[in-house]
Amino acid sequence: QQQQQQQQQQGNTKDDDDDDDDNDDQKTNCHHQEEEEKNKKNKEFPIKSKVSAKASFDGHLHPATVVEIQRRNSTKKKDFDDGEGEIEKYYIHYDKFDKRLDEWVSAENVHDYTAAGDGLFDESEAQNGGVAGSANKMMTTQTNGAVNTNGESTPHSATNPLLSSNNKNSHSEGTTTRKLTRTMKRRYNEIHNVDGVSVEDLPRIDQLAEKEHEEKTKMKNIQCVQFGKYEMDAWYYSPYPEITGQCDMLYVCPYCMKYMRKPKTMQKHQKECTITHPPGKKIYEHENANDEQTTICFWEIDGKEAKTYCQNLCLVAKLFLDHKTLYYDVEPFNFYVMTECKSSSSDTHRNSNEKDTMKKKDNRVHVPVGYFSKEKQSAEEYNLACILTLPSHQRRGYGSFLISMSYELSKREGKFGTPERPLSDLGRVSYRSYWSKHILEAMRGHKNMNGLTVRDLSMKTMFRESDVTSALQSLNLLKYWKGQHIVSATPKIVETHLQSFSKTTTTNRSNLRFEPSFVTWQPSAASEPLGNKKK
């Protein structure tokens, strides 16, 4: 019995020793894991390094590049990367997404780059600038997914030329694959606004200008803008004065375009501001223009006569346009501001003082929703220099409305209109859709469509022949035969395309129509006749 007891005691001692060893191993492993997690957490990524960052617009990890670093120093002040203090945030640019989605991301959501992160986002969404992702950041967005000329979402493979060219199941490796690749590359370049030319292929002077532009505008200086009752996330850098330009929220009066940093200043300004519409001459008024019974007006503003207003308008526009270069030299331009007209008594963000209301002549206020600018004397005879629909009023058909007005002015001048290049990615999609729809409407009812020429359609629509050719190619209604372009279509094909437009475009869904008869504008005597103009 004594021997058995001794053996049991020895066995228990061994078991205790084994348990202690196991506990020590577990503690060691936990310690190593804690150290690894601590190292990962404290790891710093230098500027221009490749990382995987968690995006705010969808909550997924995306391949990204570090643009800037913000540190937290001992004095609790936030400074940019001075090499001292713990990193608090990284300013991130998401690869294959438009710069409008760049944002500050906390350090804990930035990790080592992994190739697996490339598959966590939709390629078609990225190639349209990630506009669908920005839906969670803005009250209103432009489009979702990559958009073709009919306003429909394009397939995953249709927007990436590499996917088409690498398909091993293709029926042939010859001309068919090469033709598809060219088509997809053209569409890819259109969406990305590169015109098939990289920065390295540009002339030396243009290369320097482009790199200087990228360096200066790499970070948003304003995160959000309050425009009347709407709050909109800024998309790009805008050259506001330095004191005003470094703020999270900028307040802009929608009536006089004055900008302020503090809400108290805006509240005081609202009580004092008596302006109810843009300066200039009203050239269009359309009551009950859509299903919402909205009155749409256009105002022609001379940049020389209302210089401050036009400069402030351009600064607001730059928040949503990347390659806009016109800020302060506004005198050579006319601005055409589109407004929604509402009763002043129903406008809650204005001063409700009854005396001010009685002073208003027609008891209405005009809220700007978009605008386009036009050179007074254009050497290239462009009918439009810059166009913008505010994000708060997008997807209502207002972009097409602005384009229609620009072409109506060109028609009255006897000119073939075309917009100034380069177009933004969203502007390119809007114009291609507009051209395609109006060309199809011009073709409808024509008995012998095969006898139509590009010049015939150009004369009917007053579009430049190059724009007509581009739109027909996107619809696959143009063939090149015996050295010239020939329209190849049937009435059935035309009707099918028009039906797709009626189902997908916001203009048709809102029943918003531009009425040329409501335009009171007439060209100046300096306008040249049609025969001297380019086609």
Side-chain angles (χ1 to χ4, degrees), residues 138 140-142 232 235 298 316-317 320-321 338 340 368-372 386-403 424 426-427 430:
M138 298 188 308
T140 311
T141 56
Q142 179 80 7
M232 300 172 283
W235 292 0
F298 269 96
V316 173
F320 310 105
L321 298 172
M338 178 179 174
E340 283 184 345
V369 298
Y371 86 100
F372 70 89
C386 178
I387 183 172
L388 172 72
T389 303
L390 291 174
S392 56
H393 291 80
Q394 291 176 0
R395 297 193 62 78
R396 302 186 188 181
Y398 288 163
S400 178
F401 212 87
L402 289 164
I403 296 173
S424 65
L426 298 180
S430 298

Side-chain angles (χ1 to χ4, degrees), residues 199-391:
V199 177
E200 291 75 12
D201 296 332
L202 294 172
R204 180 66 177 173
I205 297 178
D206 293 340
Q207 285 187 32
L208 296 175
E210 184 67 21
K211 289 180 180 179
E212 182 182 356
H213 170 79
E214 291 179 357
E215 179 63 25
K216 185 177 181 180
T217 64
K218 65 180 182 180
M219 290 178 54
K220 303 173 188 175
N221 54 340
I222 295 170
Q223 302 304 314
C224 189
V225 58
Q226 180 172 316
F227 190 81
K229 64 180 181 181
Y230 298 101
E231 288 187 6
M232 300 172 283
D233 285 345
W235 292 0
Y236 305 106
Y237 168 90
S238 182
Y240 278 96
E242 187 174 355
I243 297 177
T244 305
Q246 297 294 339
C247 61
D248 292 333
M249 176 73 77
L250 184 70
Y251 300 88
V252 178
C253 176
Y255 305 102
C256 65
M257 293 295 167
K258 289 184 179 179
Y259 50 87
M260 295 142 245
R261 295 180 60 193
K262 299 180 180 180
K264 291 183 178 179
T265 308
M266 174 56 72
Q267 292 174 2
K268 181 180 178 181
H269 173 78
Q270 287 177 345
K271 296 178 180 179
E272 298 175 352
C273 183
T274 58
I275 298 175
T276 59
H277 61 76
K281 179 183 178 182
K282 182 165 63 175
I283 62 172
Y284 181 91
E285 182 173 1
H286 186 179
E287 296 183 358
N288 303 327
N290 55 16
D291 292 341
E292 299 176 358
Q293 308 298 314
T294 304
T295 299
I296 302 297
C297 296
F298 269 96
W299 304 79
E300 183 183 44
I301 307 169
D302 191 328
K304 186 176 182 179
E305 296 178 359
K307 188 174 182 179
T308 302
Y309 179 92
C310 294
Q311 288 176 344
N312 292 340
L313 177 63
C314 290
L315 290 174
V316 173
K318 182 61 184 71
L319 293 171
F320 310 105
L321 298 172
D322 188 17
H323 281 79
K324 179 177 175 57
T325 57
L326 171 65
Y327 313 130
Y328 300 108
D329 186 20
V330 296
E331 295 184 7
F333 293 85
N334 285 328
F335 293 80
Y336 299 87
V337 178
M338 178 179 174
T339 62
E340 283 184 345
C341 186
K342 300 178 180 179
S343 172
S344 61
S345 59
S346 64
D347 195 37
T348 57
H349 63 280
R350 293 283 286 175
N351 181 25
S352 58
N353 192 326
E354 293 183 1
K355 293 182 179 179
D356 291 341
T357 303
M358 293 298 293
K359 291 180 181 179
K360 297 169 185 175
K361 295 180 180 180
D362 57 358
N363 200 33
R364 297 186 300 179
V365 292
H366 297 262
V367 182
V369 298
Y371 86 100
F372 70 89
S373 60
K374 178 182 177 182
E375 275 190 287
K376 298 175 182 176
Q377 298 293 332
S378 174
E380 298 295 331
E381 298 179 354
Y382 294 128
N383 70 342
L384 184 144
C386 178
I387 183 172
L388 172 72
T389 303
L390 291 174

Side-chain angles (χ1 to χ4, degrees), residues 396-414:
R396 302 186 188 181
Y398 288 163
S400 178
F401 212 87
L402 289 164
I403 296 173
S404 296
M405 173 59 81
S406 68
Y407 275 105
E408 179 61 25
L409 301 184
S410 296
K411 290 179 182 178
R412 299 196 176 200
E413 290 176 331

Side-chain angles (χ1 to χ4, degrees), residues 10 30 68 93 104 127 129 131-132 145 166 197 258 265 296 306 320 450 468:
Q10 292 176 356
C30 292
E68 189 56 85
H93 168 68
W104 285 103
Q127 292 180 353
V131 185
N166 293 333
V197 180
K258 289 184 179 179
T265 308
I296 302 297
F320 310 105
N450 292 329
V468 175

Side-chain angles (χ1 to χ4, degrees), residues 71-264:
R71 295 179 182 271
R72 184 191 295 111
N73 58 26
S74 58
T75 59
K76 303 290 184 180
K77 292 181 181 179
K78 297 178 181 178
D79 298 321
F80 290 131
D81 190 21
D82 55 1
E84 299 179 359
E86 180 184 355
I87 292 181
E88 181 183 14
K89 296 178 182 179
Y90 293 95
Y91 193 81
I92 294 297
H93 168 68
Y94 299 104
D95 298 347
K96 301 182 181 180
F97 281 78
D98 188 86
K99 197 164 63 174
R100 68 173 68 95
L101 292 181
D102 293 1
E103 61 182 351
W104 285 103
V105 180
S106 59
E108 60 188 16
N109 291 328
V110 180
H111 311 282
D112 288 319
Y113 172 76
T114 56
D118 292 343
L120 293 179
F121 65 97
D122 185 6
E123 182 79 11
S124 63
E125 178 185 336
Q127 292 180 353
N128 195 38
V131 185
S134 62
N136 296 329
K137 300 177 64 179
M138 298 188 308
M139 297 181 63
T140 311
T141 56
Q142 179 80 7
T143 54
N144 290 326
V147 181
N148 64 10
T149 55
N150 294 333
E152 300 171 341
S153 298
T154 53
H156 181 84
S157 61
T159 57
N160 193 337
L162 299 178
L163 296 177
S164 298
S165 60
N166 293 333
N167 186 2
K168 296 181 180 180
N169 296 325
S170 299
H171 295 292
S172 64
E173 297 290 340
T175 57
T176 303
T177 303
R178 184 166 60 252
K179 182 178 180 181
L180 286 174
T181 302
R182 289 174 180 172
T183 302
M184 301 313 170
K185 184 177 181 180
R186 173 178 57 79
R187 183 171 295 174
Y188 181 88
N189 289 338
E190 289 173 357
I191 294 174
H192 282 74
N193 193 28
V194 296
D195 291 324
V197 180
S198 62
V199 177
E200 291 75 12
D201 296 332
L202 294 172
R204 180 66 177 173
I205 297 178
D206 293 340
Q207 285 187 32
L208 296 175
E210 184 67 21
K211 289 180 180 179
E212 182 182 356
H213 170 79
E214 291 179 357
E215 179 63 25
K216 185 177 181 180
T217 64
K218 65 180 182 180
M219 290 178 54
K220 303 173 188 175
N221 54 340
I222 295 170
Q223 302 304 314
C224 189
V225 58
Q226 180 172 316
F227 190 81
K229 64 180 181 181
Y230 298 101
E231 288 187 6
M232 300 172 283
D233 285 345
W235 292 0
Y236 305 106
Y237 168 90
S238 182
Y240 278 96
E242 187 174 355
I243 297 177
T244 305
Q246 297 294 339
C247 61
D248 292 333
M249 176 73 77
L250 184 70
Y251 300 88
V252 178
C253 176
Y255 305 102
C256 65
M257 293 295 167
K258 289 184 179 179
Y259 50 87
M260 295 142 245
R261 295 180 60 193
K262 299 180 180 180
K264 291 183 178 179

